[in-house]
């Protein structure tokens, strides 16, 4: 398999405070790769650096063979690096339809809005039924679906989803995870998920990285840590 994203020895932080040291991550084309770790480990920060919301202090970010480390964020989005942010960054007062349209702003995406809408409704039929409903009145699960659908409207090649399961009941979280897997299978996308919940992540991922206080502590095929409760316990403090 070819590598779509390569994060090489990334150092970054906020102001003068470092948060990530030497973070290296490879995302293979067509894979679901998981970045797991406990609160404050630096997962969201890693995604922000990949999409260019915060700069890399040291290291490189290579996407589809191109060094994008110095590109502004909107240029990275144009190339297909799309982030579904933590906390479902949707416009509460706008309708589902308006929310979807707003995400198709980059040049590539603008030309394919109708096609993208059809693809999104195929995966999330509930959104079609609620097109004119204010996004803020959707259920938690529906809001998460909308957040992911917004990501798809931007025509990603790499879709990064930050904490898709956050605040959802287990059954709903699993449903969302299965939808993420379906998106990879049907849309032939590459997906990088960030999860605090190890079990959800490893359920659908091919490969996983464990981030601990700003450093990658472990990596491997996703099944291995799942079958090794000792490691999960040691690194993530959960059973
Ligand atoms: N905007 C910011 N300004 C300053 N420090 C920040 C900022 N955002 C995050 N941090 C700090 O960076 C560290 C890593 O935070 P980050 O949000 O990347 O963790 P995380 O792994 O995503 O955690 P969580 O699972 O709680 O979402 C934390 O110590 C956090 O306090
Ligand atoms: Mg986070």
């Amino acid at each position: 398999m070819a590598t779509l994203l390569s994060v090489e020895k990334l150092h970054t932080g906020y102001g003068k405070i470092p948060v990530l040291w030497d973070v290296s991550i490879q995302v293979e084309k067509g894979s679901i790769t998981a970045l797991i770790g406990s609160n404050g480990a630096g997962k969201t920060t890693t995604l922000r650096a990949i999409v260019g919301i915060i700069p890399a202090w040291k290291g490189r970010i290579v996407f589809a063979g191109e060094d994008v480390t110095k590109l502004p964020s909107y240029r990275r989005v144009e190339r297909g690096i799309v982030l579904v942010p933590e906390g479902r960054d949707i416009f509460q007062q706008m309708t589902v339809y308006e929310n979807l349209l707003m995400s198709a702003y980059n040049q590539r995406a603008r030309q394919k809005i109708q096609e993208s809408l059809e693809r999104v409704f195929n995966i999330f039929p509930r959104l079609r039924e609620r097109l004119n409903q204010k996004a803020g009145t959707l259920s938690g699960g529906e809001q998460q679906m909308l957040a992911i659908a917004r990501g798809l409207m931007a025509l990603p090649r790499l879709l990064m989803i930050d904490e898709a399961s956050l605040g959802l009941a287990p059954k709903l979280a699993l449903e969302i995870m299965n939808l993420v897997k379906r998106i990879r299978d049907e849309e032939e996308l590459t997906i990088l998920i960030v999860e605090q919940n190890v079990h959800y992540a490893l359920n659908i991922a091919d490969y996983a990285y464990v981030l601990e206080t700003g450093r990658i502590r472990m990596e491997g095929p996703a099944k291995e840590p799942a079958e090794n409760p000792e490691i999960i316990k040691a690194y993530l403090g959960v059973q």
Side-chain angles (χ1 to χ4, degrees), residues 168-187:
L168 300 182
K171 197 166 159 245
L172 199 52
L174 281 175
E175 190 190 330
I176 297 276
M177 288 295 146
N178 286 327
L179 283 169
V180 170
K181 192 161 188 299
R182 224 187 104 193
I183 290 168
R184 189 275 303 268
D185 295 343
E186 288 181 17
E187 304 283 319

Side-chain angles (χ1 to χ4, degrees), residues 14 19 37-46 48 86 162-163 194 196 211:
Y14 301 94
V19 170
S38 47
N39 279 125
K43 305 181 296 296
T44 298
T45 303
T46 305
R48 284 186 185 141
E86 197 175 11
D162 196 351
E163 308 268 9
V194 150
Q196 253 185 65
L211 193 62

